[in-house]
Structures are given as C-alpha cells and as structure tokens.
Amino acid sequence: MYLIDKHNLPKHIAITMDGNGRWAKTKGKLRIFGHENGVKAVRDTVEGAVEIGIKYLTLYAFSTENWSRPKNEVNALMALLVNAIHKETKTLMDNNIKLDAIGDITKLPQKPQKKLLEAIEKTKNNSKMNLILALSYSGRWEILNATKKIIKNNLSESEINERTFQQYLSTKDVPDPELLIRTSGEYRISNFLLWQIAYSELYFTDTLWPDFRRTDLKEAIKEYQSRERRFGNTN
C-alpha cells in the first residue's frame, strides 16, 4: 500500500502539527492532554522519517501567535517542551539525528531554552537526519528579521538578490522543503516558512495530529511522488 520510490524522496519535509486541542475535546479532556499525546505522534513521525531516508524534517511546534494563548496553556506547553526534549534526546542520539531550532528562541523561558540548547549541542555531530523545531516562529517574523540584518550590514541595492536574502533567513543552511504537510483538515499556511515554500507541494489531511503516524507520512510522500513538479514551467 505504501510503496515509496526511494529515488524520488523529498529531501526536506515540513509539517504543521495541527489538531491537538480538537483531539482532546473529542476525548472530553483539556487541550494539554492533546499536546501530551501529540508528542507520541512526533516520536513516531520522526522515527518514520529516518527510516524512509528523509534528510530534513521541520516541525511547526510553537508559533509567535501561540504566545497569545491562555497563560496556563502556554506554561503547560513550555513544561511539556522541557520534558519532551529531556526524554527524547536519547532517541535522537540512538537514531543519529541532529536537532536544530528556528524562531525567536530568546523569547522562550529560561528552562526550556536551556534544555533546547543543550540538546542541540549534544546532537550537533549526528548526521542521519536534521530535525528542526520551529519555536516562537513565524514566517513574517523571519522575513522582517532578515530584512533588519541586511539593513544593519549596510548592503547596497545591487548586492541584494534572492540568494543574498536567503542567507539571512533562519534556514540559510537548509534546503527549501519540497513537501509541506498540514494535519487536522485546515487549509492554511498559518505563517509557516513563507519564503521557503514558494514551490513546495502542499498536502492536507483530516487526521488530527495526535493520531498522525509514520503510515500517514508515507501516504503523504506517496502522494508527493505522484505529482509532476514544474516550478513555473509549462513542461
């Protein structure tokens, strides 16, 4: 059912992990229950991506807009982040996965920021896959941040082109995603990797994130492989 062409894999997959709150609601539970179960989906998806041979996987974990959620939910999410990073670092090491992060990490509370940086440092020499967490991230923030850096460096108009601009983005060392997956049946980009997904294939699934597994990832890749990518050309 999930016959994947290993010669036509997307090098980079990005995922908007949506639906934790709605999943919890269907169970009669608080939203944080959905976030807790979403960690299981992360683990299985990450391990599945490594198994398939994906080189870069970016997960939209916490947007800049998420800071406006109720304080108790944000606090619970930050505590969950600390716990998840602590528990999953061994899994990252066992699977030779390098951890990285994009976003305004300085906005994170001290403890999750410290745990995140420790995990990034510990896994920096791993080479099988690069797992990138988008935390306190938004595409507009990233583009504005890149623009400010360019102004600060006094680049002339003639020096600024797409390649130059890309070097000021958080993802300057990462290829653009060929495939963007969004769960939960929503059909929005939600301020995620706005520059990078210019030519990405978009895949939407009704599956709520806590129910997403490596089989769902394989189904998305199978769909990606069935499409013809033209990059604006007619042939």
Side-chain angles (χ1 to χ4, degrees):
M1 183 179 179
Y2 299 109
L3 296 178
I4 291 174
D5 180 2
K6 290 296 183 83
H7 301 290
N8 184 28
L9 290 174
K11 191 173 186 180
H12 182 183
I13 296 176
I15 305 179
T16 299
M17 307 180 293
D18 193 27
N20 289 344
R22 274 170 285 165
W23 185 87
K25 189 176 181 181
T26 65
K27 310 289 183 185
K29 302 285 188 178
L30 296 175
R31 290 175 60 86
I32 192 61
F33 181 72
H35 297 310
E36 288 168 351
N37 281 272
V39 173
K40 298 175 185 176
V42 170
R43 184 187 303 117
D44 196 71
T45 301
V46 169
E47 290 179 350
V50 172
E51 177 185 283
I52 293 164
I54 303 303
K55 295 301 181 184
Y56 297 88
L57 178 66
T58 299
L59 303 179
Y60 202 5
F62 193 87
S63 73
T64 53
E65 291 85 359
N66 288 157
W67 290 115
S68 63
R69 289 186 177 185
K71 188 176 180 181
N72 61 339
E73 183 180 352
V74 172
N75 289 341
L77 278 168
M78 290 299 111
L80 183 61
L81 177 61
V82 170
N83 190 47
I85 291 172
H86 176 71
K87 281 187 174 181
E88 300 303 327
T89 298
K90 183 181 184 303
T91 302
L92 296 177
M93 295 302 296
D94 290 344
N95 287 279
N96 196 18
I97 299 171
K98 177 184 177 183
L99 180 66
D100 210 339
I102 57 174
D104 192 358
I105 307 303
T106 60
K107 291 287 178 65
L108 296 176
Q110 186 176 0
K111 192 170 183 179
Q113 188 178 151
K114 182 174 181 288
K115 289 290 182 184
L116 176 65
L117 294 175
E118 286 174 354
I120 289 173
E121 176 64 24
K122 187 170 184 178
T123 63
K124 68 179 182 180
N125 294 320
N126 292 347
S127 58
K128 196 165 186 180
M129 188 178 80
N130 194 344
L131 173 62
I132 304 156
L133 299 181
L135 291 161
S136 190
Y137 173 89
S138 81
R140 288 182 175 180
W141 166 85
E142 183 180 29
I143 291 169
L144 284 171
N145 194 49
T147 304
K148 290 175 182 177
K149 288 179 181 177
I150 289 171
I151 292 170
K152 188 175 181 180
N153 285 350
N154 295 314
L155 267 66
S156 66
E157 182 180 348
S158 62
E159 292 177 291
I160 302 172
N161 53 41
E162 284 192 18
R163 183 174 294 180
T164 305
F165 193 86
Q166 193 161 5
Q167 290 306 304
Y168 286 86
L169 295 172
S170 307
T171 56
K172 63 184 177 67
D173 298 318
V174 178
D176 291 342
E178 294 95 336
L179 175 62
L180 171 67
I181 300 169
R182 179 169 185 144
T183 62
S184 88
E186 299 292 346
Y187 295 84
R188 295 190 299 273
I189 301 303
S190 293
N191 213 351
F192 186 36
L193 299 174
L194 297 180
W195 176 277
Q196 296 88 342
I197 63 169
Y199 289 103
S200 299
E201 295 295 324
L202 307 182
Y203 178 86
F204 301 97
T205 173
D206 290 335
T207 303
L208 300 174
W209 178 249
D211 290 328
F212 195 89
R213 292 294 183 270
R214 69 185 72 191
T215 52
D216 299 285
L217 178 66
K218 290 176 181 178
E219 186 65 30
I221 294 172
K222 190 77 163 46
E223 169 66 23
Y224 163 85
Q225 292 181 340
S226 73
R227 300 180 186 179
E228 182 181 357
R229 306 188 74 214
R230 294 194 179 96
F231 302 97
N233 297 315
T234 55
N235 296 317

